[in-house]
Amino acid sequence: MLTGITLLDYRERCSTKKYFKKRIEKTVLPYIIWSLIWIAFRLAMGSVSSETVTAKWIINGLLSTGGIIGIYCFFAPLFCVYLCIPLFAVIDRAKKLEIAKY
């Protein structure tokens, strides 16, 4: 809820390009980097075999968000919200409350 309320008026502070750049820098990159670190840790600990870790396995794990690190399951809804916010930000300020009721 905090993400939505603080970002719905992002257009008053920055462009959509800058908005996506910030979201990628603050969430997508750390998510990918820490997932890759966790894969390396699991390989080192022997909880996953090197035959299992393929490009397809990594991509599938990153896209399913809970596939590599289970506690990262909240990233999928967060990324969806980030993608929807520019659509909601276009709505006229006077109509936002009326539309939000739906």
Side-chain angles (χ1 to χ4, degrees), residues 61-99:
L62 289 172
L63 292 177
S64 66
T65 65
I68 295 174
I69 304 175
I71 60 171
Y72 284 176
C73 61
F74 66 91
F75 275 102
L78 182 67
F79 294 153
C80 291
V81 168
Y82 284 162
L83 290 173
C84 291
I85 283 178
L87 299 173
F88 294 122
V90 176
I91 299 170
D92 184 20
R93 184 178 284 268
K95 295 181 181 181
K96 281 188 182 185
L97 183 59
E98 184 181 327
I99 292 173

Side-chain angles (χ1 to χ4, degrees), residues 1-15:
M1 289 187 333
L2 287 175
T3 298
I5 199 69
T6 59
L7 293 177
L8 277 177
D9 61 347
Y10 79 89
R11 299 181 102 204
E12 296 171 6
R13 296 183 304 271
C14 64
S15 67

Side-chain angles (χ1 to χ4, degrees), residues 20-48:
F20 279 117
K21 183 180 180 208
K22 280 180 147 182
R23 297 306 112 212
I24 290 170
E25 289 174 353
K26 290 184 177 191
T27 57
V28 176
L29 288 179
Y31 169 69
I32 292 171
I33 291 168
W34 283 107
S35 294
L36 294 176
I37 290 170
W38 185 249
I39 291 170
F41 177 75
R42 288 180 66 188
L43 282 169
M45 296 303 293
S47 63
V48 66

